[in-house]
Every structure is written in structure tokens, then in C-alpha cells.
Amino acid sequence: MRIGMAFGDVRGRAPLTEITRQIQEAAGVGAAWVSHGLGWDALTTLAVAGPAAPGIELGTAVVPFPQRHPLVLAAQALTVQAAVGNRLTLGIGAGIGRMVSSMYGLPTDRPARRLREYLEVLRPLLRGEPVDHHGEYYTAAGSIDLPGVEAPPVLIAALGPAMLKVAGELADGTITWMTGPRTLANHVVPSITRASGSRTPRIVAGLAVCLTSAEDAVRPRLAKEFALAKQVPEYRAMFDREGVDGPADVLIVGDEDSVAKQLDRIGDTGVTDLMLAPVGTAEEQDRTTAFLSTVVR
């Protein structure tokens, strides 16, 4: 199981220089994933901060696609791919439905059907192939031809059965967030593996982690910081599958020995990657980062 770390909005507000420092200090891990929330643009952040961590994979986790036409996203992703020396993995997702509709006024019905058509346009564009698509949701005619740029792998933020099916059939794998070990083992891994057929999908499990001796104080803080997740239907369904109340119950937290055992448990679910987001105070985050770098080595 490969271990990567998450950066960006998921770890709290920080200037771009601080995100770059964090990625540079974690350069020993397998991958640096940048989240895309209400602040920094994930792809642009990777183009700026990625060179600070040479030799490791750089991924988005994830870029919402509804507000980005496939031609626009393909051009941006391939430009970033060129800037980071073909180390990009493009993670995309439908976004949180309530935010997409309220902030952008865009429809959010039939997300799996929209995703399927989007991928049918995006993947050829990433390979430099021309498209002439006039579908139910998208019209796209053109191509993106950038010399020396490889098509990045594409992972999908997929939690429900329909989205996992599309991810297995048309993408290279999935990225989850705040999904516990029971749900990973019994739902996510078998669902996308079945949909992938003879291919082996990449399954990236994203979880918050905090190395601390004050576990009882950390869980309430996380519950408050991520309280909105309990009201998001997509995440609520995963918490219900796991049999937990909310984000604090799937947090990886404790001392070195406890955190290591929890990481092993996630590894036993069949996921291929961990995307760990250090949370807590600045001191706790630095301690967690140092420990995770040691685990990887």
C-alpha cells in the first residue's frame, strides 16, 4: 500500500508559501495530493508547489468538473502536467451537490450519467485526440495538442454504487474521503473492482490523521471543523454504512503505535493507496508529517 499526503484546504487555511513548505517537507512520501475547496485552485497550486517535491506523484483530490467544460479542464490539466514533468494524476469529482447548485446555479441531477458523458469527452482530449461530441449534457469540438505531454491518469471521487461503476469502467480508479475501513472493505473495494473487469483499479482512501497524546481533545475539534460533512448526503451515506455518527469517528488518531495499527487496518481493506491529511495544531501536523515520512521510509 502506497502512502501519500493531502495538502490544501482540507488542512485548514494557509498561504501558498506554507502549502509549498508542507509539500517540500513531505517529499519522502509516495504522493502529494492537493484538495480543492473554496480557496486555492488545486491544479494551479500543484503547478506552483510541485517542483518543490521532485520525483513524487502530484495529484488533485479532487477538482469538481460540473463548472469546467472538458476542453477547459483538459487544457489546464495538460499544462500542469507539462509544468511538473508528467507527474500529475488528475482526480475529479461531481462536487458537493448543494454547493454546485447554490454557488454556480448548475444542475446536479443524474451525476453518474453526467460523469459518464464527461469522461467520454475528457479522456480522448487528455490523450491529444480530437473530439466532435454532441451529447445529452455536453457539446465539445476540438483538441488539445501539447508536445511532450503525457495523458495523466484519471481518478474519480466515487462513493455510491453508480459512481463507482462509472469509475471502474471509464477511469483508472477512485479517491474516497472520510470513508471508514468497514465501508472500504465491504462496499468501495468490491464495487469498483467488479466494475473494472480485468483491470486492477487504483483505490485511494483519504482520511484525516493526527499524531497526538491528547486524543480526547482532538476528536471534538475535528467534529466541529468538519461538522458540515454530516449534512452532506454523499458523506452521510458513508457514515451510515460505517455505523458511525460523523467525521470524528473515522479519524486516525493516537500515538505512534496506535496510528500504525490503524494504518494497517486500512491496508487490510484492499485499498492500493492512503491519502492522509494531517490535522490539528501546527505542532500536531508537523509531528504527524514527520512520523508518516518515517513510516514510508
Side-chain angles (χ1 to χ4, degrees), residues 81-108:
Q81 179 76 308
V84 299
N86 291 317
R87 292 184 287 143
L88 175 68
T89 293
L90 180 62
I92 67 172
I96 295 174
R98 291 177 184 174
M99 293 175 63
V100 172
S101 61
S102 63
M103 293 178 65
Y104 298 96
L106 294 172
T108 58

Side-chain angles (χ1 to χ4, degrees), residues 208-242:
V209 58
C210 183
L211 189 65
T212 181
S213 55
E215 179 177 342
D216 291 342
V218 170
R219 288 192 187 276
R221 288 207 315 262
L222 186 84
K224 184 177 181 180
E225 291 173 12
F226 291 93
L228 181 62
K230 294 173 61 175
Q231 304 173 34
V232 175
E234 298 91 332
Y235 293 136
R236 181 71 263 166
M238 295 303 102
F239 297 142
D240 291 344
R241 279 184 181 271
E242 192 71 15

Side-chain angles (χ1 to χ4, degrees), residues 27 32 37 47 50 60 65 73 83-84 95 106 137 161-162 170 177 204 208 231 270 274 296:
T60 57
F65 71 80
L73 181 57
V84 299
L106 294 172
Y137 301 112
L170 298 181
W177 175 238
V204 183
Q231 304 173 34
L274 270 174
V296 171

Side-chain angles (χ1 to χ4, degrees), residues 61-248:
V62 294
V63 174
F65 71 80
Q67 56 268 44
R68 292 168 178 80
H69 189 277
L71 278 162
V72 174
L73 181 57
Q76 186 183 15
L78 290 173
T79 301
V80 174
Q81 179 76 308
V84 299
N86 291 317
R87 292 184 287 143
L88 175 68
T89 293
L90 180 62
I92 67 172
I96 295 174
R98 291 177 184 174
M99 293 175 63
V100 172
S101 61
S102 63
M103 293 178 65
Y104 298 96
L106 294 172
T108 58
D109 61 307
R110 300 180 177 179
R113 190 165 174 173
R114 292 176 186 275
L115 171 63
R116 181 177 292 277
E117 186 176 336
Y118 193 94
L119 289 172
E120 289 171 349
V121 179
L122 178 68
R123 305 267 351 224
L125 289 171
L126 292 175
R127 295 192 295 266
E129 301 169 5
V131 300
D132 186 10
H133 180 89
H134 303 271
E136 183 178 3
Y137 301 112
Y138 298 99
T139 295
S143 63
I144 310 294
D145 184 15
L146 302 183
V149 183
E150 300 173 3
V154 177
L155 304 179
I156 305 300
L159 297 174
M163 295 292 275
L164 286 166
K165 188 174 188 297
V166 177
E169 292 176 353
L170 298 181
D172 298 296
T174 186
I175 303 176
T176 68
W177 175 238
M178 292 191 297
T179 302
R182 181 188 306 172
T183 304
L184 290 169
N186 298 334
H187 168 59
V188 173
V189 172
S191 295
I192 193 169
T193 300
R194 185 165 52 249
S196 299
S198 60
R199 298 181 299 116
T200 300
R202 189 171 180 188
I203 304 168
V204 183
L207 290 159
V209 58
C210 183
L211 189 65
T212 181
S213 55
E215 179 177 342
D216 291 342
V218 170
R219 288 192 187 276
R221 288 207 315 262
L222 186 84
K224 184 177 181 180
E225 291 173 12
F226 291 93
L228 181 62
K230 294 173 61 175
Q231 304 173 34
V232 175
E234 298 91 332
Y235 293 136
R236 181 71 263 166
M238 295 303 102
F239 297 142
D240 291 344
R241 279 184 181 271
E242 192 71 15
V244 299
D245 181 59

